[in-house]
Each structure stands twice: as C-alpha cells, then as structure tokens.
C-alpha cells in the first residue's frame, strides 16, 4: 500500500535512453529516468540515511518547463521539491 502511489506514477513508463540524461551528485545514489504519460518519473535509490539528494537532468526536451515533486512511501500527495534550470541543466534537490 505504501508504494502504490509510486508505482501509479510510473504506469506506462518508457525508459529514456538519451546519453547522460540523468545523474546524481551524491556518491552511491542511483537514478533512472522514465518518460510517462504525465511527464517524467525519476526513481532515486540507494540514498540510505541521506536527508537529501541532488539530481541533474540534461539532453531532454522541455527542461526549462519542468517542476519537481517527490513521492515518498506512505505519502500519496507528494512534496514539491526545489528545482533550478540553468544552462541546459535541470537541478532538483529531493528530500
């Protein structure tokens, strides 16, 4: 039940295979980028006990118009996360 909203957000996903389209600024944190009917889904894993993770997107259309929302297990509504678009990069600080 806790992971239902996370899985719903990724329904109909299509893996984005553009070179270097997503990366984490934090060591050992893994990220992937999927295109969904509602935009993009960006699963962040292996963060352990980190309080936040910084993720960078590039080489995908519409970066300057993206906003970010984090979905955490057990929280259906999601939380808006700070984002920044700068010189063809989109930075997001997930908490």
């Amino acid at each position: 039940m806790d992971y239902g909203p996370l899985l719903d957000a990724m329904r109909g996903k299509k893996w984005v295979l553009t070179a270097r389209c997503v990366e984490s600024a934090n060591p050992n944190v893994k990220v992937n980028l999927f295109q969904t009917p509602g935009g993009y889904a960006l699963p962040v894993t292996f963060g352990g006990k980190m309080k936040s993770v910084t993720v960078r997107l590039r080489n995908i259309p519409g970066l300057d118009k993206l906003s970010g929302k984090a979905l955490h297990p057990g929280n259906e509504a999601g939380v808006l996360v700070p984002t920044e678009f700068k010189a063809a990069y989109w930075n997001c600080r997930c908490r």
Side-chain angles (χ1 to χ4, degrees):
M1 296 298 286
D2 287 344
Y3 288 88
L6 293 168
L7 297 173
D8 277 344
M10 292 183 57
R11 189 179 310 272
K13 72 185 181 306
K14 188 174 171 187
W15 202 1
V16 177
L17 299 174
T18 305
R20 300 186 64 210
C21 63
V22 62
E23 65 183 17
S24 168
N26 304 78
N28 302 319
V29 172
K30 305 296 181 198
V31 293
N32 270 301
L33 182 63
F34 297 95
Q35 189 168 15
T36 66
Y40 292 96
L42 185 96
V44 178
T45 60
F46 299 107
K49 295 183 181 185
M50 291 183 182
K51 295 197 185 252
S52 67
V53 172
T54 300
V55 174
R56 176 177 277 180
L57 296 179
R58 64 176 159 231
N59 301 329
I60 59 171
L63 278 178
D64 57 334
K65 296 174 182 76
L66 291 181
S67 61
K69 181 168 69 168
L71 296 173
H72 299 283
N75 182 350
E76 289 187 33
V79 178
L80 289 177
V81 293
T83 62
E84 169 187 48
F85 178 74
K86 213 182 195 185
Y89 292 100
W90 184 80
N91 292 309
C92 172
R93 188 160 184 94
C94 306
R95 297 172 195 218

Coordinates of all heavy atoms in Angstrom, one line a residue:
M1 N 0.8 -1.2 0.0 CA 0.0 0.0 0.0 C 0.9 1.3 0.0 O 0.5 2.2 -0.6 CB -0.9 0.0 1.2 CG -1.9 -1.1 1.2 SD -3.1 -1.1 -0.1 CE -4.1 0.3 0.4
D2 N 2.0 1.2 0.7 CA 2.8 2.4 0.8 C 3.4 2.8 -0.5 O 3.7 4.0 -0.8 CB 4.0 2.2 1.8 CG 3.5 2.3 3.3 OD1 2.3 2.7 3.5 OD2 4.2 1.8 4.1
Y3 N 3.7 1.8 -1.4 CA 4.3 2.0 -2.7 C 3.4 2.2 -3.8 O 3.8 2.5 -5.0 CB 5.3 0.9 -3.0 CG 6.6 1.0 -2.1 CD1 6.6 0.4 -0.8 CD2 7.7 1.7 -2.5 CE1 7.7 0.5 0.0 CE2 8.8 1.8 -1.6 CZ 8.8 1.2 -0.4 OH 9.9 1.3 0.4
G4 N 2.1 2.1 -3.6 CA 1.1 2.2 -4.7 C 1.2 3.5 -5.4 O 1.2 3.5 -6.7
P5 N 1.2 4.7 -4.8 CA 1.3 6.0 -5.5 C 2.6 6.0 -6.3 O 2.6 6.6 -7.4 CB 1.3 7.0 -4.4 CG 0.6 6.4 -3.3 CD 1.0 4.9 -3.3
L6 N 3.7 5.5 -5.8 CA 5.0 5.5 -6.6 C 4.8 4.7 -7.9 O 5.2 5.1 -8.9 CB 6.1 4.9 -5.7 CG 6.5 5.7 -4.5 CD1 7.4 4.9 -3.6 CD2 7.2 7.0 -4.9
L7 N 4.2 3.5 -7.8 CA 4.0 2.6 -8.9 C 3.0 3.2 -9.9 O 3.2 3.1 -11.1 CB 3.7 1.2 -8.5 CG 4.7 0.5 -7.6 CD1 4.2 -0.8 -7.1 CD2 6.0 0.3 -8.4
D8 N 2.0 3.9 -9.4 CA 1.0 4.5 -10.3 C 1.6 5.6 -11.1 O 1.3 5.8 -12.3 CB -0.2 5.1 -9.5 CG -1.2 4.1 -9.1 OD1 -1.2 3.0 -9.8 OD2 -2.1 4.3 -8.2
A9 N 2.6 6.4 -10.5 CA 3.2 7.5 -11.2 C 4.1 7.0 -12.3 O 4.3 7.7 -13.3 CB 4.1 8.3 -10.2
M10 N 4.5 5.7 -12.3 CA 5.3 5.2 -13.3 C 4.6 4.3 -14.3 O 5.1 3.7 -15.2 CB 6.5 4.4 -12.7 CG 7.4 5.3 -11.9 SD 8.8 4.4 -11.3 CE 9.5 3.6 -12.7
R11 N 3.2 4.2 -14.2 CA 2.4 3.4 -15.1 C 2.6 3.9 -16.5 O 2.6 5.1 -16.8 CB 1.0 3.5 -14.7 CG 0.1 2.5 -15.4 CD -1.3 2.6 -15.0 NE -1.5 2.6 -13.5 CZ -1.7 1.5 -12.8 NH1 -1.7 0.3 -13.4 NH2 -1.8 1.5 -11.5
G12 N 2.8 3.0 -17.5 CA 3.0 3.4 -18.9 C 4.4 4.0 -19.1 O 4.6 4.6 -20.1
K13 N 5.3 3.7 -18.3 CA 6.7 4.3 -18.4 C 7.4 3.8 -19.6 O 7.2 2.7 -20.1 CB 7.5 4.0 -17.2 CG 7.9 2.6 -17.0 CD 8.6 2.3 -15.7 CE 9.1 0.9 -15.6 NZ 8.1 -0.2 -15.7
K14 N 8.3 4.6 -20.1 CA 9.2 4.3 -21.2 C 10.6 4.8 -20.8 O 10.8 6.0 -20.5 CB 8.7 5.0 -22.4 CG 9.4 4.6 -23.7 CD 8.7 5.2 -24.9 CE 9.5 5.1 -26.1 NZ 8.9 5.8 -27.2
W15 N 11.6 3.9 -20.7 CA 12.9 4.3 -20.3 C 13.5 5.3 -21.2 O 13.5 5.1 -22.4 CB 13.8 3.0 -20.2 CG 15.0 3.1 -19.3 CD1 15.4 4.1 -18.5 CD2 15.9 2.1 -19.1 NE1 16.5 3.8 -17.9 CE2 16.9 2.5 -18.2 CE3 16.1 0.8 -19.6 CZ2 18.0 1.8 -17.8 CZ3 17.1 0.0 -19.2 CH2 18.1 0.5 -18.3
V16 N 14.1 6.4 -20.7 CA 14.7 7.4 -21.5 C 16.2 6.9 -21.7 O 16.9 6.8 -20.7 CB 14.7 8.8 -20.9 CG1 15.5 9.8 -21.7 CG2 13.2 9.2 -20.7
L17 N 16.6 6.7 -22.9 CA 17.9 6.2 -23.2 C 18.9 7.2 -23.7 O 20.0 6.8 -24.2 CB 17.8 5.0 -24.1 CG 17.0 3.8 -23.6 CD1 16.8 2.8 -24.7 CD2 17.6 3.2 -22.4
T18 N 18.6 8.5 -23.6 CA 19.5 9.5 -24.1 C 20.7 9.5 -23.3 O 20.7 9.4 -22.0 CB 18.8 10.9 -24.0 OG1 17.5 10.9 -24.7 CG2 19.7 12.0 -24.5
A19 N 21.9 9.6 -23.9 CA 23.2 9.6 -23.2 C 23.3 10.6 -22.1 O 22.9 11.8 -22.3 CB 24.3 9.8 -24.2
R20 N 23.7 10.2 -21.0 CA 23.9 11.1 -19.8 C 22.8 12.0 -19.5 O 23.0 13.2 -19.1 CB 25.2 11.8 -20.0 CG 26.4 10.9 -20.2 CD 27.7 11.6 -20.2 NE 28.0 12.3 -18.9 CZ 28.7 13.4 -18.8 NH1 29.2 14.0 -19.9 NH2 28.8 14.0 -17.7
C21 N 21.5 11.5 -19.6 CA 20.4 12.4 -19.4 C 20.1 12.6 -17.9 O 19.4 13.6 -17.6 CB 19.1 11.8 -20.1 SG 18.6 10.2 -19.5
V22 N 20.6 11.7 -17.0 CA 20.3 11.9 -15.6 C 21.5 11.4 -14.8 O 22.2 10.5 -15.2 CB 19.0 11.1 -15.2 CG1 19.2 9.6 -15.4 CG2 18.7 11.4 -13.7
E23 N 21.8 12.1 -13.7 CA 22.9 11.7 -12.8 C 22.7 12.3 -11.5 O 22.0 13.3 -11.3 CB 24.3 12.2 -13.4 CG 24.5 13.7 -13.4 CD 25.8 14.1 -14.0 OE1 26.5 13.3 -14.7 OE2 26.2 15.2 -13.8
S24 N 23.2 11.6 -10.5 CA 23.2 12.1 -9.1 C 24.5 12.7 -8.7 O 25.5 12.3 -9.1 CB 22.9 10.9 -8.2 OG 23.1 11.3 -6.8
A25 N 24.4 13.8 -7.9 CA 25.6 14.5 -7.4 C 26.1 13.8 -6.2 O 27.2 14.1 -5.7 CB 25.3 16.0 -7.1
N26 N 25.3 12.9 -5.6 CA 25.7 12.2 -4.4 C 26.3 10.8 -4.7 O 25.7 10.0 -5.5 CB 24.5 12.0 -3.5 CG 23.8 13.3 -3.2 OD1 23.1 13.8 -4.1 ND2 24.0 13.8 -2.0
P27 N 27.4 10.5 -4.1 CA 28.1 9.2 -4.4 C 27.2 8.0 -4.0 O 26.4 8.1 -3.0 CB 29.3 9.2 -3.5 CG 29.3 10.4 -2.7 CD 28.2 11.3 -3.1
N28 N 27.2 6.9 -4.7 CA 26.5 5.7 -4.5 C 24.9 5.8 -4.7 O 24.3 4.8 -4.7 CB 26.7 5.1 -3.1 CG 28.2 4.9 -2.9 OD1 28.9 4.4 -3.8 ND2 28.7 5.2 -1.7
V29 N 24.4 7.0 -4.9 CA 23.0 7.1 -5.2 C 22.7 6.8 -6.7 O 23.4 7.3 -7.5 CB 22.5 8.5 -4.8 CG1 21.0 8.7 -5.3 CG2 22.6 8.8 -3.3
K30 N 21.7 6.0 -6.9 CA 21.4 5.6 -8.3 C 20.1 6.2 -8.8 O 19.2 6.3 -8.0 CB 21.3 4.1 -8.4 CG 22.5 3.3 -7.9 CD 23.7 3.6 -8.7 CE 24.9 2.8 -8.2 NZ 26.1 3.3 -8.6
V31 N 20.1 6.7 -10.0 CA 18.9 7.3 -10.6 C 18.6 6.8 -12.0 O 19.6 6.4 -12.7 CB 19.0 8.8 -10.6 CG1 19.0 9.4 -9.2 CG2 20.2 9.3 -11.4
N32 N 17.4 6.7 -12.4 CA 17.0 6.4 -13.8 C 15.9 7.4 -14.2 O 15.3 8.0 -13.3 CB 16.4 5.0 -13.8 CG 17.4 3.9 -14.1 OD1 18.1 4.0 -15.1 ND2 17.5 3.0 -13.2
L33 N 15.8 7.6 -15.5 CA 14.8 8.5 -16.0 C 13.8 7.8 -16.9 O 14.2 7.0 -17.8 CB 15.4 9.6 -16.7 CG 14.5 10.7 -17.3 CD1 13.8 11.4 -16.2 CD2 15.3 11.7 -18.1
F34 N 12.5 7.9 -16.6 CA 11.5 7.3 -17.5 C 10.5 8.4 -17.9 O 10.1 9.3 -17.2 CB 10.7 6.3 -16.6 CG 11.5 5.1 -16.2 CD1 12.1 5.1 -14.9 CD2 11.7 4.0 -17.0 CE1 12.8 4.0 -14.5 CE2 12.5 2.9 -16.6 CZ 13.0 3.0 -15.3
Q35 N 10.1 8.3 -19.2 CA 9.0 9.2 -19.7 C 7.7 8.5 -19.4 O 7.6 7.3 -19.6 CB 9.2 9.4 -21.2 CG 8.3 10.4 -21.7 CD 8.6 10.9 -23.1 OE1 9.4 10.2 -23.8 NE2 8.1 12.0 -23.5
T36 N 6.7 9.2 -18.9 CA 5.4 8.7 -18.6 C 4.4 9.5 -19.3 O 4.7 10.6 -19.8 CB 5.1 8.7 -17.0 OG1 5.1 10.1 -16.6 CG2 6.2 8.0 -16.2
P37 N 3.1 9.1 -19.3 CA 2.1 9.9 -19.9 C 2.0 11.3 -19.3 O 1.6 12.2 -20.0 CB 0.8 9.1 -19.7 CG 1.3 7.7 -19.7 CD 2.6 7.8 -19.0
G38 N 2.3 11.4 -18.0 CA 2.2 12.7 -17.3 C 3.4 13.5 -17.3 O 3.5 14.6 -16.7
G39 N 4.5 13.1 -17.9 CA 5.8 13.8 -17.9 C 7.0 12.8 -17.7 O 7.2 12.0 -18.6
Y40 N 7.7 13.0 -16.6 CA 8.8 12.1 -16.3 C 8.7 11.5 -14.9 O 8.2 12.2 -14.0 CB 10.1 12.9 -16.5 CG 10.4 13.3 -17.9 CD1 10.1 14.5 -18.4 CD2 11.0 12.4 -18.8 CE1 10.4 14.9 -19.7 CE2 11.3 12.8 -20.1 CZ 11.0 14.0 -20.5 OH 11.2 14.4 -21.8
A41 N 9.3 10.4 -14.7 CA 9.5 9.8 -13.4 C 10.9 9.5 -13.2 O 11.6 9.0 -14.1 CB 8.7 8.5 -13.3
L42 N 11.4 9.8 -12.0 CA 12.8 9.7 -11.8 C 13.1 9.0 -10.4 O 13.1 9.6 -9.4 CB 13.4 11.2 -11.6 CG 14.8 11.3 -11.5 CD1 15.5 11.6 -12.8 CD2 15.1 12.5 -10.5
P43 N 13.1 7.6 -10.5 CA 13.3 6.9 -9.3 C 14.8 7.2 -8.7 O 15.7 7.1 -9.5 CB 13.2 5.4 -9.7 CG 12.5 5.5 -11.0 CD 12.8 6.8 -11.6
V44 N 14.8 7.4 -7.4 CA 16.1 7.6 -6.8 C 16.3 6.5 -5.7 O 15.4 6.4 -4.9 CB 16.2 9.0 -6.1 CG1 17.5 9.2 -5.3 CG2 15.9 10.1 -7.1
T45 N 17.4 5.8 -5.8 CA 17.6 4.6 -4.9 C 18.9 4.7 -4.3 O 19.8 5.4 -4.7 CB 17.4 3.3 -5.6 OG1 18.3 3.2 -6.7 CG2 16.0 3.2 -6.2
F46 N 19.1 3.9 -3.2 CA 20.3 3.7 -2.5 C 20.8 5.0 -1.8 O 22.0 5.2 -1.7 CB 21.4 3.1 -3.4 CG 21.1 1.8 -3.9 CD1 20.7 1.6 -5.3 CD2 21.1 0.6 -3.1 CE1 20.4 0.4 -5.8 CE2 20.7 -0.6 -3.6 CZ 20.4 -0.7 -4.9
G47 N 19.9 5.8 -1.4 CA 20.2 7.0 -0.7 C 20.5 6.8 0.8 O 21.1 7.6 1.5
G48 N 20.2 5.6 1.3 CA 20.4 5.2 2.7 C 19.8 6.2 3.6 O 18.6 6.6 3.5
K49 N 20.6 6.8 4.5 CA 20.1 7.7 5.5 C 20.3 9.2 5.1 O 20.1 10.1 6.0 CB 20.7 7.4 6.9 CG 20.4 6.1 7.4 CD 21.0 5.8 8.7 CE 20.6 4.4 9.2 NZ 21.0 4.1 10.5
M50 N 20.6 9.4 3.9 CA 20.8 10.8 3.4 C 19.5 11.6 3.6 O 18.4 11.1 3.3 CB 21.2 10.8 1.9 CG 22.5 10.3 1.7 SD 22.9 10.5 -0.1 CE 24.5 9.8 -0.1
K51 N 19.6 12.8 4.0 CA 18.4 13.7 4.1 C 18.0 14.3 2.8 O 16.8 14.7 2.7 CB 18.7 14.7 5.2 CG 18.9 14.1 6.5 CD 18.8 15.2 7.6 CE 19.1 14.6 8.9 NZ 18.0 14.3 9.8
S52 N 18.9 14.4 1.9 CA 18.5 14.9 0.5 C 19.5 14.5 -0.5 O 20.6 14.1 -0.2 CB 18.5 16.5 0.6 OG 19.8 17.0 0.7
V53 N 19.1 14.5 -1.7 CA 19.9 14.1 -2.9 C 19.7 15.1 -4.0 O 18.6 15.6 -4.2 CB 19.4 12.7 -3.4 CG1 20.1 12.3 -4.7 CG2 19.6 11.6 -2.3
T54 N 20.8 15.5 -4.7 CA 20.7 16.4 -5.8 C 20.8 15.6 -7.1 O 21.7 14.8 -7.2 CB 21.9 17.4 -5.7 OG1 21.7 18.2 -4.5 CG2 21.8 18.4 -6.9
V55 N 19.9 15.8 -8.0 CA 19.8 15.1 -9.3 C 19.9 16.1 -10.4 O 19.3 17.2 -10.3 CB 18.5 14.3 -9.3 CG1 18.3 13.7 -10.7 CG2 18.4 13.3 -8.3
R56 N 20.6 15.8 -11.4 CA 20.7 16.7 -12.6 C 20.2 16.0 -13.8 O 20.5 14.9 -14.1 CB 22.2 17.1 -12.8 CG 22.4 17.9 -14.0 CD 23.9 18.3 -14.2 NE 24.1 19.5 -13.3 CZ 25.2 20.1 -13.2 NH1 26.3 19.6 -13.8 NH2 25.3 21.1 -12.4
L57 N 19.3 16.7 -14.6 CA 18.8 16.2 -15.9 C 19.4 17.1 -17.0 O 19.6 18.3 -16.8 CB 17.3 16.3 -15.9 CG 16.5 15.5 -14.9 CD1 15.0 15.8 -15.1 CD2 16.8 14.1 -15.1
R58 N 19.6 16.5 -18.1 CA 20.0 17.2 -19.3 C 19.7 16.4 -20.6 O 19.3 15.2 -20.5 CB 21.5 17.5 -19.3 CG 22.4 16.3 -19.3 CD 23.8 16.7 -19.3 NE 24.6 15.5 -18.8 CZ 25.5 15.5 -17.8 NH1 25.8 16.6 -17.3 NH2 26.0 14.4 -17.5
N59 N 19.8 17.1 -21.7 CA 19.6 16.4 -23.0 C 18.2 15.8 -23.2 O 18.0 14.8 -23.9 CB 20.6 15.3 -23.2 CG 22.0 15.8 -23.2 OD1 22.3 16.9 -23.6 ND2 22.9 14.9 -22.8
I60 N 17.2 16.4 -22.6 CA 15.8 16.0 -22.8 C 15.0 17.3 -23.1 O 15.2 18.4 -22.6 CB 15.2 15.2 -21.7 CG1 15.2 16.0 -20.4 CG2 15.9 13.9 -21.5 CD1 14.4 15.4 -19.3
P61 N 13.9 17.2 -24.0 CA 13.1 18.3 -24.4 C 12.3 18.9 -23.2 O 11.8 18.1 -22.4 CB 12.2 17.8 -25.5 CG 12.3 16.3 -25.5 CD 13.5 16.0 -24.7
G62 N 12.2 20.2 -23.2 CA 11.3 20.8 -22.2 C 11.9 21.0 -20.8 O 11.1 21.3 -19.9
L63 N 13.2 20.9 -20.7 CA 13.8 21.0 -19.3 C 13.4 22.4 -18.6 O 13.2 22.4 -17.4 CB 15.3 21.0 -19.4 CG 15.9 19.6 -19.5 CD1 17.4 19.7 -19.6 CD2 15.6 18.8 -18.3
D64 N 13.3 23.4 -19.4 CA 13.1 24.7 -18.8 C 11.6 24.9 -18.3 O 11.3 25.8 -17.5 CB 13.3 25.8 -19.8 CG 12.5 25.7 -21.1 OD1 12.1 24.5 -21.4 OD2 12.3 26.7 -21.8
K65 N 10.8 23.9 -18.5 CA 9.4 24.0 -18.1 C 9.1 22.9 -17.0 O 8.0 22.9 -16.5 CB 8.5 23.7 -19.3 CG 8.6 24.8 -20.3 CD 7.7 24.5 -21.5 CE 7.8 25.5 -22.6 NZ 9.0 25.5 -23.3
L66 N 10.1 22.1 -16.6 CA 9.8 21.1 -15.6 C 9.7 21.6 -14.2 O 10.4 22.6 -13.8 CB 10.9 20.0 -15.6 CG 11.1 19.2 -16.8 CD1 12.2 18.2 -16.7 CD2 9.8 18.4 -17.1
S67 N 8.9 21.0 -13.4 CA 8.8 21.2 -11.9 C 9.0 19.8 -11.3 O 9.0 18.8 -12.0 CB 7.5 21.8 -11.5 OG 6.4 20.9 -11.9
G68 N 9.3 19.8 -10.0 CA 9.6 18.6 -9.3 C 8.6 18.3 -8.2 O 8.3 19.2 -7.4
K69 N 8.3 17.0 -8.0 CA 7.5 16.6 -6.9 C 8.1 15.2 -6.4 O 8.3 14.3 -7.3 CB 6.0 16.4 -7.3 CG 5.1 16.0 -6.1 CD 3.7 16.1 -6.4 CE 3.2 15.2 -7.5 NZ 1.7 15.2 -7.6
A70 N 8.3 15.1 -5.1 CA 8.8 13.8 -4.6 C 7.7 13.0 -4.0 O 6.9 13.5 -3.3 CB 9.9 14.1 -3.5
L71 N 7.7 11.7 -4.4 CA 6.7 10.8 -3.8 C 7.4 9.8 -2.9 O 8.3 9.1 -3.3 CB 6.0 10.0 -5.0 CG 5.1 10.8 -5.9 CD1 4.7 9.9 -7.1 CD2 4.0 11.4 -5.2
H72 N 7.1 9.9 -1.7 CA 7.7 9.0 -0.7 C 6.7 7.9 -0.3 O 5.5 8.1 -0.3 CB 8.1 9.8 0.6 CG 9.1 10.9 0.3 ND1 10.4 10.7 0.1 CD2 8.9 12.2 0.2 CE1 11.0 11.8 -0.1 NE2 10.2 12.8 -0.1
P73 N 7.2 6.7 0.1 CA 6.3 5.6 0.5 C 5.4 6.1 1.6 O 5.9 6.7 2.6 CB 7.3 4.5 1.0 CG 8.6 4.8 0.2 CD 8.6 6.3 0.1
G74 N 4.2 5.8 1.5 CA 3.2 6.2 2.6 C 2.7 7.6 2.5 O 1.8 8.0 3.3
N75 N 3.1 8.4 1.5 CA 2.6 9.7 1.3 C 2.0 9.9 -0.1 O 2.8 9.9 -1.1 CB 3.8 10.7 1.5 CG 3.3 12.2 1.4 OD1 2.2 12.4 1.0 ND2 4.2 13.1 1.7
E76 N 0.7 9.8 -0.2 CA 0.1 9.9 -1.5 C 0.2 11.2 -2.2 O 0.2 11.3 -3.5 CB -1.4 9.5 -1.4 CG -1.6 8.0 -1.1 CD -3.1 7.7 -1.1 OE1 -3.8 8.2 -1.9 OE2 -3.5 6.8 -0.3
A77 N 0.2 12.3 -1.5 CA 0.2 13.6 -2.1 C 1.5 14.1 -2.8 O 1.5 14.8 -3.7 CB -0.2 14.7 -1.0
G78 N 2.6 13.6 -2.2 CA 3.9 14.1 -2.8 C 4.2 15.5 -2.2 O 3.4 16.2 -1.6
V79 N 5.5 15.8 -2.3 CA 6.0 17.0 -1.8 C 6.8 17.8 -2.9 O 7.6 17.2 -3.6 CB 7.0 16.7 -0.7 CG1 7.7 18.0 -0.1 CG2 6.4 15.9 0.4
L80 N 6.5 19.1 -3.1 CA 7.2 19.9 -4.1 C 8.6 20.0 -3.7 O 8.9 20.1 -2.5 CB 6.6 21.2 -4.2 CG 5.2 21.3 -4.9 CD1 4.7 22.7 -4.9 CD2 5.3 20.8 -6.3
V81 N 9.5 19.9 -4.6 CA 11.0 20.0 -4.3 C 11.6 21.1 -5.1 O 11.1 21.5 -6.2 CB 11.7 18.7 -4.7 CG1 11.3 17.5 -3.8 CG2 11.5 18.3 -6.1
P82 N 12.6 21.8 -4.5 CA 13.2 22.9 -5.2 C 13.9 22.5 -6.5 O 14.6 21.5 -6.5 CB 14.2 23.4 -4.2 CG 14.1 22.7 -3.0 CD 13.1 21.5 -3.2
T83 N 13.7 23.2 -7.6 CA 14.3 22.9 -8.8 C 14.9 24.2 -9.4 O 14.6 25.3 -9.0 CB 13.3 22.4 -9.8 OG1 12.3 23.4 -10.1 CG2 12.6 21.1 -9.3
E84 N 15.8 24.0 -10.3 CA 16.5 25.1 -10.9 C 16.9 24.7 -12.3 O 17.5 23.7 -12.6 CB 17.8 25.4 -10.1 CG 18.8 26.4 -10.7 CD 20.0 26.4 -9.8 OE1 20.6 25.4 -9.4 OE2 20.4 27.6 -9.6
F85 N 16.6 25.6 -13.3 CA 17.1 25.4 -14.7 C 18.2 26.4 -15.0 O 18.0 27.6 -14.8 CB 15.9 25.5 -15.6 CG 16.3 25.4 -17.1 CD1 16.6 24.1 -17.6 CD2 16.5 26.5 -17.9 CE1 17.0 23.9 -18.9 CE2 16.9 26.3 -19.2 CZ 17.2 25.0 -19.7
K86 N 19.3 25.9 -15.5 CA 20.4 26.7 -15.7 C 21.3 26.1 -16.8 O 21.7 25.0 -16.7 CB 21.2 26.6 -14.4 CG 22.0 27.8 -14.0 CD 22.6 27.3 -12.7 CE 23.2 28.3 -11.8 NZ 23.9 28.0 -10.8
A87 N 21.6 26.9 -17.9 CA 22.5 26.5 -18.9 C 22.3 25.0 -19.4 O 23.2 24.2 -19.4 CB 23.9 26.7 -18.5
A88 N 21.1 24.7 -19.8 CA 20.8 23.3 -20.3 C 20.8 22.2 -19.3 O 20.7 21.1 -19.6 CB 21.7 23.0 -21.5
Y89 N 20.8 22.5 -18.0 CA 20.8 21.6 -16.9 C 19.6 21.9 -16.1 O 19.2 23.0 -15.8 CB 22.0 21.6 -16.0 CG 23.2 21.1 -16.7 CD1 24.2 22.0 -17.2 CD2 23.5 19.8 -16.8 CE1 25.3 21.6 -17.8 CE2 24.6 19.3 -17.5 CZ 25.6 20.2 -17.9 OH 26.7 19.8 -18.5
W90 N 18.9 20.8 -15.5 CA 17.8 21.0 -14.6 C 18.3 20.3 -13.3 O 18.6 19.1 -13.3 CB 16.6 20.3 -15.1 CG 15.3 20.5 -14.3 CD1 14.5 21.6 -14.3 CD2 14.7 19.5 -13.5 NE1 13.4 21.3 -13.5 CE2 13.6 20.0 -12.9 CE3 15.1 18.2 -13.1 CZ2 12.7 19.4 -12.1 CZ3 14.3 17.5 -12.2 CH2 13.1 18.1 -11.7
N91 N 18.4 21.1 -12.2 CA 18.8 20.5 -10.9 C 17.6 20.4 -10.0 O 16.8 21.3 -9.9 CB 19.9 21.4 -10.3 CG 21.2 21.4 -11.0 OD1 21.7 20.4 -11.3 ND2 21.7 22.6 -11.4
C92 N 17.6 19.3 -9.3 CA 16.5 19.1 -8.3 C 17.1 18.6 -7.0 O 17.9 17.7 -7.1 CB 15.5 18.0 -8.9 SG 14.3 17.4 -7.8
R93 N 16.7 19.1 -5.9 CA 17.1 18.7 -4.6 C 16.0 17.9 -3.9 O 15.1 18.5 -3.4 CB 17.6 19.8 -3.8 CG 18.3 19.4 -2.5 CD 19.1 20.5 -2.0 NE 19.9 20.1 -0.8 CZ 21.1 19.6 -0.9 NH1 21.7 19.5 -2.0 NH2 21.7 19.2 0.2
C94 N 16.0 16.6 -4.0 CA 15.0 15.7 -3.4 C 15.2 15.5 -1.9 O 16.3 15.3 -1.5 CB 14.9 14.4 -4.1 SG 14.8 14.6 -5.9
R95 N 14.1 15.6 -1.2 CA 14.2 15.3 0.3 C 13.3 14.2 0.7 O 12.3 14.1 0.2 CB 13.9 16.6 1.1 CG 14.8 17.7 0.8 CD 14.4 18.9 1.4 NE 15.2 20.0 0.7 CZ 15.7 21.0 1.3 NH1 15.4 21.2 2.6 NH2 16.4 21.8 0.7

